[in-house]
Amino acid sequence: MKDDRVGRIVKQVRVHAGWRQVDLGDRAGVSQRLIAEIELGRLDHITVGRLREVTAALDVSLEIDLWWRRGDIDRLLDRAHAALVEFVVGTMRANGWTVLTEATFNRYGDRGSVDVVGWHPASQTLVLIEVKSRIGDVQELQGTFAKKVRVAPRELERERGWRPRTVVRLLVVSDSHGARSVVNAHEATFDTMWPERSTAVKRFLRRPDRSPGFGGGIWFVPASALPTRASSAIAVQRVRRSRRARGECRAGGEPRTGALTARGADGTGHEPGTGALTGPTCWTTSE
């Protein structure tokens, strides 16, 4: 987001609407002075919330994006999701499932894709799987997946000849306190689409022919089940200063300078490159 460009857009749209700065301020619930600051591109002291109120009053959508000079931020964001998909695919294939990833569909304007599709020929069971490294908007998640359940089976039957006796719905999520808290807080909502939990899901995937009545469930996948590098993308690591005296490490240790010691899912330590910290101190991580 370029501050000066935001200012120019706000001003031009305001003038096009025939409003004075005070008119826009009244509609957005802010002062005329703040409108003037925005139009001059002086955004350093203006909160995102205030800026959204102003752009909303103009019927302008404010979108904020982040850019990383290393250029691989999308790969970094996708790594956790890709690791989960890889784990699910490997597990299902090992249990005799035919597996598709990113299965797209387009039927009368209903477009989308299913993260993982599983077909078990012996039991004629079709599984539609949504994979999430974190859970965001619960209503959007359920609504989007309901469309996939409604449309995807017919498209798969048309394209691949798969005629399922049973269609099963699975949600695969990185196991974390945050994910479980969201599910527990909206348990009734989740249960309408995914009533079972991890143990029942794994039992079903091993023997779908011995799981009569199984309709769907949530599978919480722990970081320890994934390869070390992949699990580090999923595990939440909080760095905090040791409670010991300043500059003191664990018994027999020496203070570290300019580096963080992080603990991976396997309990081993590693030092990720060069840190930005200076001065002797000890750091630990918790997951």
Side-chain angles (χ1 to χ4, degrees):
M1 183 176 72
K2 296 182 178 180
D3 294 3
D4 59 339
R5 186 170 186 272
V6 171
R8 293 198 307 270
I9 291 174
V10 169
K11 181 176 181 178
Q12 292 302 319
V13 176
R14 174 182 64 79
V15 171
H16 180 76
W19 296 348
R20 300 169 299 169
Q21 289 181 343
V22 69
D23 298 327
L24 175 56
D26 289 342
R27 285 170 170 80
V30 301
S31 67
Q32 181 270 333
R33 181 177 179 180
L34 187 138
I35 300 298
E37 290 288 294
I38 292 174
E39 292 185 354
L40 290 171
R42 299 171 182 170
L43 306 183
D44 289 344
H45 65 288
I46 298 174
T47 66
V48 174
R50 286 294 192 188
L51 190 55
R52 288 193 188 279
E53 290 171 354
V54 173
T55 56
L58 292 167
D59 198 23
V60 172
S61 175
L62 175 67
E63 296 182 1
I64 299 176
D65 203 354
L66 301 179
W67 295 88
W68 191 22
R69 62 185 177 86
R70 289 183 57 181
D72 54 357
I73 195 167
D74 287 336
R75 182 170 58 84
L76 188 66
L77 291 172
D78 291 343
R79 187 168 58 180
H81 182 270
L84 282 169
V85 170
E86 186 71 17
F87 173 76
V88 171
V89 170
T91 301
M92 295 186 69
R93 285 177 175 165
N95 285 283
W97 293 82
T98 300
V99 183
L100 304 176
T101 59
E102 289 297 321
T104 60
F105 59 86
N106 183 359
R107 185 179 180 86
Y108 302 117
D110 282 331
R111 299 186 179 90
S113 65
V114 184
D115 290 330
V116 181
V117 173
W119 171 247
H120 195 265
S123 62
Q124 291 183 286
T125 302
L126 180 69
V127 178
L128 305 179
I129 305 177
E130 184 80 7
V131 178
K132 293 291 184 184
S133 56
R134 58 179 296 275
I135 300 176
D137 188 310
V138 175
Q139 297 297 331
E140 181 182 1
L141 169 63
Q142 189 178 47
T144 301
F145 192 71
K147 179 177 69 173
K148 298 175 183 182
V149 172
R150 185 179 71 252
V151 179
R154 287 180 291 178
E155 291 298 288
L156 289 165
E157 179 179 349
R158 182 177 62 82
E159 294 178 3
R160 293 183 171 268
W162 295 349
R163 297 183 178 180
R165 293 177 180 173
T166 305
V167 177
V168 173
R169 309 168 302 276
L170 295 184
L171 174 63
V172 176
V173 186
S174 300
D175 194 0
S176 67
H177 174 73
R180 288 184 179 270
S181 295
V182 172
V183 172
N184 290 337
H186 303 275
E187 186 173 13
T189 300
F190 279 99
D191 283 353
T192 60
M193 184 73 72
W194 304 285
E196 303 292 342
R197 296 297 179 261
S198 298
T199 300
V201 170
K202 290 186 284 186
R203 186 187 309 120
F204 160 76
L205 290 175
R206 286 193 298 269
R207 294 300 302 268
D209 55 329
R210 294 187 180 181
S211 302
F214 184 90
I218 302 175
W219 184 7
F220 293 100
V221 178
S224 58
L226 305 173
T228 303
R229 288 189 64 187
S231 64
S232 67
I234 294 176
V236 177
Q237 298 186 351
R238 298 179 297 276
V239 181
R240 63 190 180 192
R241 193 166 184 173
S242 173
R243 293 181 179 176
R244 297 175 181 271
R246 183 171 54 190
E248 180 184 354
C249 292
R250 295 180 180 178
E254 295 295 332
R256 299 226 179 231
T257 303
L260 295 180
T261 300
R263 182 177 293 108
D266 59 356
T268 60
H270 65 278
E271 295 180 359
T274 58
L277 302 176
T278 58
T281 187
C282 296
W283 297 84
T284 59
T285 64
S286 61
E287 297 181 0

Short mmCIF file of all heavy atoms in Angstrom, two decimals, residues 55-113:
data_model
loop_
_atom_site.label_atom_id
_atom_site.label_comp_id
_atom_site.label_asym_id
_atom_site.label_seq_id
_atom_site.Cartn_x
_atom_site.Cartn_y
_atom_site.Cartn_z
N THR A 55 -12.64 4.93 3.53
CA THR A 55 -12.79 4.32 2.20
C THR A 55 -14.17 3.68 2.04
O THR A 55 -14.75 3.71 0.95
CB THR A 55 -11.70 3.28 1.94
OG1 THR A 55 -11.73 2.28 2.98
CG2 THR A 55 -10.32 3.94 1.91
N ALA A 56 -14.71 3.12 3.13
CA ALA A 56 -16.05 2.53 3.06
C ALA A 56 -17.10 3.59 2.76
O ALA A 56 -18.07 3.34 2.03
CB ALA A 56 -16.37 1.80 4.36
N ALA A 57 -16.92 4.77 3.32
CA ALA A 57 -17.86 5.87 3.06
C ALA A 57 -17.85 6.27 1.59
O ALA A 57 -18.84 6.77 1.05
CB ALA A 57 -17.53 7.07 3.93
N LEU A 58 -16.72 6.03 0.93
CA LEU A 58 -16.59 6.34 -0.50
C LEU A 58 -16.94 5.15 -1.38
O LEU A 58 -16.84 5.23 -2.61
CB LEU A 58 -15.15 6.78 -0.81
CG LEU A 58 -14.70 8.12 -0.22
CD1 LEU A 58 -13.19 8.26 -0.33
CD2 LEU A 58 -15.41 9.27 -0.92
N ASP A 59 -17.32 4.02 -0.76
CA ASP A 59 -17.58 2.78 -1.48
C ASP A 59 -16.33 2.31 -2.21
O ASP A 59 -16.38 1.82 -3.34
CB ASP A 59 -18.74 2.96 -2.48
CG ASP A 59 -19.32 1.62 -2.91
OD1 ASP A 59 -19.16 0.65 -2.16
OD2 ASP A 59 -19.92 1.55 -4.00
N VAL A 60 -15.19 2.49 -1.54
CA VAL A 60 -13.90 2.04 -2.07
C VAL A 60 -13.38 0.92 -1.18
O VAL A 60 -13.42 1.03 0.05
CB VAL A 60 -12.88 3.21 -2.10
CG1 VAL A 60 -11.49 2.70 -2.46
CG2 VAL A 60 -13.33 4.28 -3.09
N SER A 61 -12.92 -0.16 -1.77
CA SER A 61 -12.39 -1.29 -1.01
C SER A 61 -10.91 -1.06 -0.70
O SER A 61 -10.12 -0.77 -1.60
CB SER A 61 -12.56 -2.59 -1.81
OG SER A 61 -11.95 -3.67 -1.14
N LEU A 62 -10.56 -1.18 0.56
CA LEU A 62 -9.17 -1.03 0.97
C LEU A 62 -8.56 -2.41 1.14
O LEU A 62 -9.01 -3.21 1.96
CB LEU A 62 -9.08 -0.25 2.29
CG LEU A 62 -7.68 -0.14 2.91
CD1 LEU A 62 -6.78 0.72 2.03
CD2 LEU A 62 -7.76 0.46 4.32
N GLU A 63 -7.52 -2.71 0.38
CA GLU A 63 -6.84 -3.98 0.47
C GLU A 63 -5.38 -3.74 0.82
O GLU A 63 -4.70 -2.95 0.18
CB GLU A 63 -6.94 -4.76 -0.85
CG GLU A 63 -8.38 -5.13 -1.21
CD GLU A 63 -8.47 -5.94 -2.49
OE1 GLU A 63 -7.39 -6.21 -3.07
OE2 GLU A 63 -9.58 -6.28 -2.90
N ILE A 64 -4.92 -4.43 1.84
CA ILE A 64 -3.54 -4.28 2.30
C ILE A 64 -2.80 -5.57 2.02
O ILE A 64 -3.25 -6.66 2.38
CB ILE A 64 -3.49 -3.95 3.80
CG1 ILE A 64 -4.21 -2.62 4.06
CG2 ILE A 64 -2.05 -3.88 4.30
CD1 ILE A 64 -4.29 -2.26 5.52
N ASP A 65 -1.66 -5.48 1.37
CA ASP A 65 -0.85 -6.65 1.06
C ASP A 65 0.54 -6.44 1.63
O ASP A 65 0.97 -5.31 1.88
CB ASP A 65 -0.77 -6.85 -0.46
CG ASP A 65 -0.45 -8.30 -0.82
OD1 ASP A 65 -0.19 -9.09 0.10
OD2 ASP A 65 -0.45 -8.62 -2.02
N LEU A 66 1.23 -7.54 1.85
CA LEU A 66 2.58 -7.49 2.38
C LEU A 66 3.56 -8.03 1.35
O LEU A 66 3.28 -9.03 0.67
CB LEU A 66 2.69 -8.32 3.67
CG LEU A 66 1.76 -7.90 4.82
CD1 LEU A 66 1.96 -8.83 6.02
CD2 LEU A 66 2.04 -6.47 5.24
N TRP A 67 4.71 -7.40 1.24
CA TRP A 67 5.75 -7.82 0.31
C TRP A 67 7.04 -8.06 1.08
O TRP A 67 7.42 -7.29 1.94
CB TRP A 67 5.98 -6.74 -0.76
CG TRP A 67 4.77 -6.55 -1.62
CD1 TRP A 67 3.73 -5.71 -1.40
CD2 TRP A 67 4.46 -7.25 -2.83
NE1 TRP A 67 2.78 -5.81 -2.39
CE2 TRP A 67 3.20 -6.76 -3.29
CE3 TRP A 67 5.11 -8.22 -3.57
CZ2 TRP A 67 2.61 -7.22 -4.44
CZ3 TRP A 67 4.50 -8.68 -4.72
CH2 TRP A 67 3.27 -8.19 -5.15
N TRP A 68 7.69 -9.15 0.74
CA TRP A 68 8.94 -9.54 1.39
C TRP A 68 10.05 -9.47 0.35
O TRP A 68 9.91 -9.99 -0.76
CB TRP A 68 8.79 -10.95 1.93
CG TRP A 68 9.89 -11.41 2.84
CD1 TRP A 68 10.75 -10.65 3.55
CD2 TRP A 68 10.21 -12.77 3.15
NE1 TRP A 68 11.59 -11.44 4.29
CE2 TRP A 68 11.27 -12.75 4.06
CE3 TRP A 68 9.68 -14.01 2.74
CZ2 TRP A 68 11.84 -13.90 4.58
CZ3 TRP A 68 10.24 -15.16 3.27
CH2 TRP A 68 11.30 -15.10 4.17
N ARG A 69 11.16 -8.84 0.70
CA ARG A 69 12.20 -8.63 -0.30
C ARG A 69 12.81 -9.94 -0.81
O ARG A 69 13.37 -9.99 -1.89
CB ARG A 69 13.31 -7.73 0.26
CG ARG A 69 14.05 -8.28 1.47
CD ARG A 69 15.03 -7.25 2.02
NE ARG A 69 15.72 -7.70 3.22
CZ ARG A 69 16.83 -8.44 3.20
NH1 ARG A 69 17.35 -8.80 2.05
NH2 ARG A 69 17.39 -8.83 4.33
N ARG A 70 12.67 -11.02 -0.01
CA ARG A 70 13.21 -12.31 -0.47
C ARG A 70 12.33 -12.93 -1.55
O ARG A 70 12.75 -13.84 -2.26
CB ARG A 70 13.35 -13.27 0.70
CG ARG A 70 14.48 -12.90 1.64
CD ARG A 70 14.63 -13.91 2.75
NE ARG A 70 14.85 -15.25 2.23
CZ ARG A 70 15.00 -16.32 3.01
NH1 ARG A 70 14.90 -16.19 4.33
NH2 ARG A 70 15.20 -17.51 2.49
N GLY A 71 11.09 -12.48 -1.63
CA GLY A 71 10.24 -12.85 -2.76
C GLY A 71 9.54 -14.18 -2.68
O GLY A 71 8.77 -14.53 -3.57
N ASP A 72 9.77 -15.00 -1.62
CA ASP A 72 9.15 -16.32 -1.58
C ASP A 72 8.12 -16.43 -0.46
O ASP A 72 7.94 -17.47 0.15
CB ASP A 72 10.20 -17.42 -1.42
CG ASP A 72 11.12 -17.17 -0.21
OD1 ASP A 72 10.95 -16.12 0.44
OD2 ASP A 72 11.99 -18.02 0.05
N ILE A 73 7.43 -15.34 -0.18
CA ILE A 73 6.48 -15.34 0.92
C ILE A 73 5.30 -16.27 0.66
O ILE A 73 4.79 -16.91 1.58
CB ILE A 73 6.00 -13.90 1.22
CG1 ILE A 73 5.30 -13.87 2.60
CG2 ILE A 73 5.08 -13.37 0.12
CD1 ILE A 73 5.07 -12.47 3.12
N ASP A 74 4.85 -16.39 -0.60
CA ASP A 74 3.74 -17.30 -0.91
C ASP A 74 4.13 -18.74 -0.61
O ASP A 74 3.33 -19.51 -0.07
CB ASP A 74 3.32 -17.15 -2.37
CG ASP A 74 2.57 -15.86 -2.63
OD1 ASP A 74 1.99 -15.33 -1.67
OD2 ASP A 74 2.59 -15.38 -3.78
N ARG A 75 5.35 -19.09 -0.96
CA ARG A 75 5.82 -20.45 -0.69
C ARG A 75 5.89 -20.70 0.82
O ARG A 75 5.57 -21.77 1.31
CB ARG A 75 7.19 -20.68 -1.33
CG ARG A 75 7.74 -22.09 -1.12
CD ARG A 75 8.96 -22.33 -1.98
NE ARG A 75 10.01 -21.37 -1.70
CZ ARG A 75 10.89 -21.52 -0.69
NH1 ARG A 75 10.81 -22.56 0.10
NH2 ARG A 75 11.84 -20.63 -0.50
N LEU A 76 6.30 -19.67 1.55
CA LEU A 76 6.38 -19.78 3.00
C LEU A 76 5.00 -19.99 3.60
O LEU A 76 4.80 -20.82 4.48
CB LEU A 76 7.02 -18.52 3.57
CG LEU A 76 7.36 -18.52 5.06
CD1 LEU A 76 8.45 -19.54 5.36
CD2 LEU A 76 7.80 -17.13 5.50
N LEU A 77 4.01 -19.24 3.12
CA LEU A 77 2.64 -19.37 3.63
C LEU A 77 2.03 -20.71 3.26
O LEU A 77 1.25 -21.29 4.02
CB LEU A 77 1.77 -18.24 3.07
CG LEU A 77 2.09 -16.83 3.58
CD1 LEU A 77 1.28 -15.80 2.80
CD2 LEU A 77 1.80 -16.71 5.06
N ASP A 78 2.34 -21.22 2.06
CA ASP A 78 1.73 -22.45 1.57
C ASP A 78 2.40 -23.70 2.13
O ASP A 78 1.86 -24.80 1.98
CB ASP A 78 1.81 -22.50 0.04
CG ASP A 78 0.91 -21.47 -0.60
OD1 ASP A 78 0.02 -20.97 0.10
OD2 ASP A 78 1.11 -21.15 -1.79
N ARG A 79 3.57 -23.56 2.77
CA ARG A 79 4.33 -24.73 3.17
C ARG A 79 3.57 -25.60 4.16
O ARG A 79 3.57 -26.83 4.06
CB ARG A 79 5.67 -24.29 3.76
CG ARG A 79 6.62 -25.45 4.05
CD ARG A 79 8.01 -24.94 4.36
NE ARG A 79 8.01 -24.03 5.49
CZ ARG A 79 9.10 -23.45 5.97
NH1 ARG A 79 10.27 -23.66 5.35
NH2 ARG A 79 9.04 -22.65 7.01
N ALA A 80 2.92 -24.98 5.14
CA ALA A 80 2.19 -25.74 6.14
C ALA A 80 1.03 -26.50 5.52
O ALA A 80 0.81 -27.68 5.81
CB ALA A 80 1.68 -24.80 7.24
N HIS A 81 0.28 -25.84 4.64
CA HIS A 81 -0.84 -26.49 3.96
C HIS A 81 -0.36 -27.64 3.08
O HIS A 81 -0.93 -28.73 3.09
CB HIS A 81 -1.59 -25.46 3.11
CG HIS A 81 -2.79 -26.00 2.41
ND1 HIS A 81 -2.73 -26.54 1.14
CD2 HIS A 81 -4.09 -26.10 2.80
CE1 HIS A 81 -3.94 -26.93 0.77
NE2 HIS A 81 -4.78 -26.68 1.75
N ALA A 82 0.73 -27.41 2.34
CA ALA A 82 1.26 -28.44 1.45
C ALA A 82 1.74 -29.65 2.25
O ALA A 82 1.58 -30.80 1.81
CB ALA A 82 2.42 -27.87 0.62
N ALA A 83 2.32 -29.42 3.42
CA ALA A 83 2.79 -30.52 4.26
C ALA A 83 1.63 -31.39 4.73
O ALA A 83 1.71 -32.62 4.75
CB ALA A 83 3.56 -29.97 5.45
N LEU A 84 0.53 -30.75 5.11
CA LEU A 84 -0.65 -31.50 5.53
C LEU A 84 -1.25 -32.31 4.39
O LEU A 84 -1.62 -33.47 4.56
CB LEU A 84 -1.70 -30.54 6.09
CG LEU A 84 -1.47 -30.02 7.51
CD1 LEU A 84 -2.44 -28.89 7.82
CD2 LEU A 84 -1.62 -31.13 8.53
N VAL A 85 -1.35 -31.69 3.21
CA VAL A 85 -1.88 -32.40 2.05
C VAL A 85 -1.02 -33.62 1.73
O VAL A 85 -1.53 -34.72 1.48
CB VAL A 85 -1.95 -31.45 0.83
CG1 VAL A 85 -2.25 -32.25 -0.45
CG2 VAL A 85 -3.01 -30.38 1.04
N GLU A 86 0.29 -33.45 1.75
CA GLU A 86 1.21 -34.56 1.46
C GLU A 86 1.02 -35.69 2.46
O GLU A 86 1.02 -36.87 2.10
CB GLU A 86 2.65 -34.05 1.50
CG GLU A 86 3.69 -35.07 1.08
CD GLU A 86 3.66 -35.36 -0.42
OE1 GLU A 86 3.06 -34.56 -1.16
OE2 GLU A 86 4.22 -36.39 -0.83
N PHE A 87 0.85 -35.33 3.73
CA PHE A 87 0.65 -36.35 4.76
C PHE A 87 -0.66 -37.11 4.54
O PHE A 87 -0.70 -38.34 4.63
CB PHE A 87 0.64 -35.69 6.14
CG PHE A 87 0.27 -36.61 7.26
CD1 PHE A 87 1.18 -37.54 7.74
CD2 PHE A 87 -1.00 -36.57 7.82
CE1 PHE A 87 0.84 -38.40 8.77
CE2 PHE A 87 -1.35 -37.42 8.84
CZ PHE A 87 -0.43 -38.34 9.32
N VAL A 88 -1.73 -36.39 4.24
CA VAL A 88 -3.03 -37.02 4.03
C VAL A 88 -2.99 -37.94 2.81
O VAL A 88 -3.47 -39.08 2.86
CB VAL A 88 -4.12 -35.95 3.85
CG1 VAL A 88 -5.43 -36.58 3.41
CG2 VAL A 88 -4.32 -35.18 5.15
N VAL A 89 -2.40 -37.47 1.73
CA VAL A 89 -2.32 -38.27 0.51
C VAL A 89 -1.53 -39.55 0.76
O VAL A 89 -1.94 -40.65 0.36
CB VAL A 89 -1.67 -37.45 -0.63
CG1 VAL A 89 -1.35 -38.35 -1.82
CG2 VAL A 89 -2.59 -36.32 -1.07
N GLY A 90 -0.39 -39.43 1.43
CA GLY A 90 0.42 -40.62 1.72
C GLY A 90 -0.31 -41.62 2.59
O GLY A 90 -0.24 -42.84 2.35
N THR A 91 -1.02 -41.13 3.59
CA THR A 91 -1.77 -42.02 4.49
C THR A 91 -2.87 -42.75 3.74
O THR A 91 -3.07 -43.96 3.92
CB THR A 91 -2.38 -41.21 5.64
OG1 THR A 91 -1.33 -40.56 6.37
CG2 THR A 91 -3.17 -42.11 6.57
N MET A 92 -3.59 -42.04 2.89
CA MET A 92 -4.69 -42.66 2.18
C MET A 92 -4.21 -43.68 1.14
O MET A 92 -4.79 -44.77 1.01
CB MET A 92 -5.55 -41.58 1.51
CG MET A 92 -6.25 -40.67 2.52
SD MET A 92 -7.37 -39.50 1.75
CE MET A 92 -8.69 -40.59 1.18
N ARG A 93 -3.18 -43.34 0.42
CA ARG A 93 -2.66 -44.29 -0.57
C ARG A 93 -2.14 -45.55 0.09
O ARG A 93 -2.28 -46.66 -0.46
CB ARG A 93 -1.55 -43.62 -1.39
CG ARG A 93 -2.10 -42.63 -2.43
CD ARG A 93 -1.01 -41.92 -3.18
NE ARG A 93 -1.58 -41.08 -4.23
CZ ARG A 93 -0.91 -40.12 -4.87
NH1 ARG A 93 0.38 -39.89 -4.55
NH2 ARG A 93 -1.50 -39.40 -5.80
N ALA A 94 -1.56 -45.41 1.27
CA ALA A 94 -1.07 -46.58 1.99
C ALA A 94 -2.21 -47.49 2.44
O ALA A 94 -2.00 -48.67 2.71
CB ALA A 94 -0.25 -46.14 3.21
N ASN A 95 -3.42 -46.94 2.48
CA ASN A 95 -4.59 -47.73 2.88
C ASN A 95 -5.49 -48.09 1.71
O ASN A 95 -6.66 -48.44 1.90
CB ASN A 95 -5.39 -46.96 3.94
CG ASN A 95 -4.72 -46.98 5.30
OD1 ASN A 95 -4.78 -47.97 6.02
ND2 ASN A 95 -4.08 -45.88 5.66
N GLY A 96 -4.95 -47.99 0.50
CA GLY A 96 -5.67 -48.49 -0.67
C GLY A 96 -6.62 -47.52 -1.35
O GLY A 96 -7.44 -47.94 -2.18
N TRP A 97 -6.52 -46.23 -1.06
CA TRP A 97 -7.39 -45.24 -1.68
C TRP A 97 -6.77 -44.72 -2.98
O TRP A 97 -5.55 -44.57 -3.09
CB TRP A 97 -7.61 -44.05 -0.75
CG TRP A 97 -8.39 -44.34 0.48
CD1 TRP A 97 -7.92 -44.89 1.65
CD2 TRP A 97 -9.79 -44.10 0.69
NE1 TRP A 97 -8.93 -45.00 2.57
CE2 TRP A 97 -10.10 -44.52 2.00
CE3 TRP A 97 -10.79 -43.58 -0.10
CZ2 TRP A 97 -11.37 -44.43 2.54
CZ3 TRP A 97 -12.08 -43.47 0.43
CH2 TRP A 97 -12.36 -43.91 1.73
N THR A 98 -7.61 -44.43 -3.95
CA THR A 98 -7.21 -43.66 -5.13
C THR A 98 -7.38 -42.19 -4.76
O THR A 98 -8.45 -41.79 -4.29
CB THR A 98 -8.07 -44.00 -6.35
OG1 THR A 98 -7.92 -45.39 -6.65
CG2 THR A 98 -7.65 -43.18 -7.57
N VAL A 99 -6.34 -41.39 -4.98
CA VAL A 99 -6.34 -40.04 -4.44
C VAL A 99 -6.12 -39.00 -5.54
O VAL A 99 -5.26 -39.17 -6.41
CB VAL A 99 -5.26 -39.86 -3.35
CG1 VAL A 99 -5.33 -38.47 -2.74
CG2 VAL A 99 -5.43 -40.92 -2.27
N LEU A 100 -6.90 -37.93 -5.48
CA LEU A 100 -6.71 -36.76 -6.34
C LEU A 100 -6.46 -35.55 -5.44
O LEU A 100 -7.00 -35.46 -4.33
CB LEU A 100 -7.95 -36.49 -7.19
CG LEU A 100 -8.48 -37.60 -8.09
CD1 LEU A 100 -9.77 -37.14 -8.75
CD2 LEU A 100 -7.45 -37.98 -9.13
N THR A 101 -5.66 -34.62 -5.92
CA THR A 101 -5.46 -33.36 -5.19
C THR A 101 -5.90 -32.19 -6.07
O THR A 101 -5.76 -32.23 -7.29
CB THR A 101 -3.99 -33.16 -4.79
OG1 THR A 101 -3.17 -33.16 -5.95
CG2 THR A 101 -3.53 -34.27 -3.85
N GLU A 102 -6.42 -31.17 -5.42
CA GLU A 102 -6.90 -29.97 -6.11
C GLU A 102 -7.84 -30.34 -7.26
O GLU A 102 -7.66 -29.92 -8.41
CB GLU A 102 -5.73 -29.13 -6.63
CG GLU A 102 -4.95 -28.43 -5.54
CD GLU A 102 -5.79 -27.41 -4.78
OE1 GLU A 102 -6.61 -26.72 -5.42
OE2 GLU A 102 -5.63 -27.31 -3.55
N ALA A 103 -8.84 -31.12 -6.95
CA ALA A 103 -9.83 -31.53 -7.95
C ALA A 103 -10.80 -30.38 -8.19
O ALA A 103 -11.59 -30.02 -7.31
CB ALA A 103 -10.58 -32.77 -7.46
N THR A 104 -10.74 -29.79 -9.37
CA THR A 104 -11.57 -28.62 -9.67
C THR A 104 -12.93 -29.03 -10.23
O THR A 104 -13.09 -30.13 -10.78
CB THR A 104 -10.87 -27.71 -10.68
OG1 THR A 104 -10.63 -28.45 -11.90
CG2 THR A 104 -9.53 -27.22 -10.13
N PHE A 105 -13.91 -28.14 -10.09
CA PHE A 105 -15.24 -28.38 -10.64
C PHE A 105 -15.83 -27.05 -11.09
O PHE A 105 -15.47 -25.98 -10.59
CB PHE A 105 -16.15 -29.05 -9.62
CG PHE A 105 -16.34 -28.27 -8.35
CD1 PHE A 105 -17.31 -27.28 -8.24
CD2 PHE A 105 -15.54 -28.52 -7.24
CE1 PHE A 105 -17.49 -26.56 -7.07
CE2 PHE A 105 -15.71 -27.80 -6.06
CZ PHE A 105 -16.68 -26.82 -5.98
N ASN A 106 -16.74 -27.13 -12.06
CA ASN A 106 -17.43 -25.95 -12.57
C ASN A 106 -18.76 -26.42 -13.13
O ASN A 106 -18.82 -26.99 -14.22
CB ASN A 106 -16.60 -25.25 -13.65
CG ASN A 106 -17.25 -23.97 -14.14
OD1 ASN A 106 -18.34 -23.61 -13.71
ND2 ASN A 106 -16.60 -23.30 -15.07
N ARG A 107 -19.81 -26.18 -12.40
CA ARG A 107 -21.13 -26.64 -12.82
C ARG A 107 -22.13 -25.51 -12.65
O ARG A 107 -22.47 -25.14 -11.53
CB ARG A 107 -21.55 -27.87 -12.00
CG ARG A 107 -22.87 -28.50 -12.44
CD ARG A 107 -23.20 -29.71 -11.59
NE ARG A 107 -24.45 -30.32 -11.99
CZ ARG A 107 -24.59 -31.22 -12.94
NH1 ARG A 107 -23.53 -31.62 -13.63
NH2 ARG A 107 -25.77 -31.75 -13.24
N TYR A 108 -22.58 -24.98 -13.78
CA TYR A 108 -23.57 -23.91 -13.79
C TYR A 108 -23.18 -22.74 -12.88
O TYR A 108 -23.99 -22.23 -12.11
CB TYR A 108 -24.95 -24.45 -13.40
CG TYR A 108 -25.44 -25.56 -14.28
CD1 TYR A 108 -25.66 -26.83 -13.77
CD2 TYR A 108 -25.67 -25.34 -15.64
CE1 TYR A 108 -26.12 -27.86 -14.59
CE2 TYR A 108 -26.12 -26.36 -16.47
CZ TYR A 108 -26.35 -27.62 -15.94
OH TYR A 108 -26.78 -28.62 -16.75
N GLY A 109 -21.93 -22.36 -12.96
CA GLY A 109 -21.46 -21.21 -12.18
C GLY A 109 -20.91 -21.54 -10.82
O GLY A 109 -20.29 -20.70 -10.18
N ASP A 110 -21.16 -22.77 -10.32
CA ASP A 110 -20.56 -23.20 -9.06
C ASP A 110 -19.16 -23.69 -9.33
O ASP A 110 -18.96 -24.80 -9.84
CB ASP A 110 -21.40 -24.31 -8.42
CG ASP A 110 -22.64 -23.78 -7.74
OD1 ASP A 110 -22.59 -22.63 -7.27
OD2 ASP A 110 -23.64 -24.51 -7.67
N ARG A 111 -18.18 -22.86 -8.99
CA ARG A 111 -16.78 -23.20 -9.25
C ARG A 111 -16.04 -23.41 -7.94
O ARG A 111 -16.38 -22.85 -6.91
CB ARG A 111 -16.07 -22.08 -10.03
CG ARG A 111 -16.65 -21.79 -11.39
CD ARG A 111 -15.78 -20.76 -12.11
NE ARG A 111 -16.27 -20.45 -13.42
CZ ARG A 111 -17.13 -19.48 -13.70
NH1 ARG A 111 -17.58 -18.72 -12.72
NH2 ARG A 111 -17.53 -19.26 -14.94
N GLY A 112 -15.00 -24.21 -8.02
CA GLY A 112 -14.17 -24.41 -6.84
C GLY A 112 -13.24 -25.58 -7.01
O GLY A 112 -13.11 -26.13 -8.11
N SER A 113 -12.59 -25.97 -5.94
CA SER A 113 -11.71 -27.14 -5.97
C SER A 113 -11.72 -27.79 -4.60
O SER A 113 -11.93 -27.13 -3.57
CB SER A 113 -10.29 -26.74 -6.35
OG SER A 113 -9.71 -25.91 -5.36
#
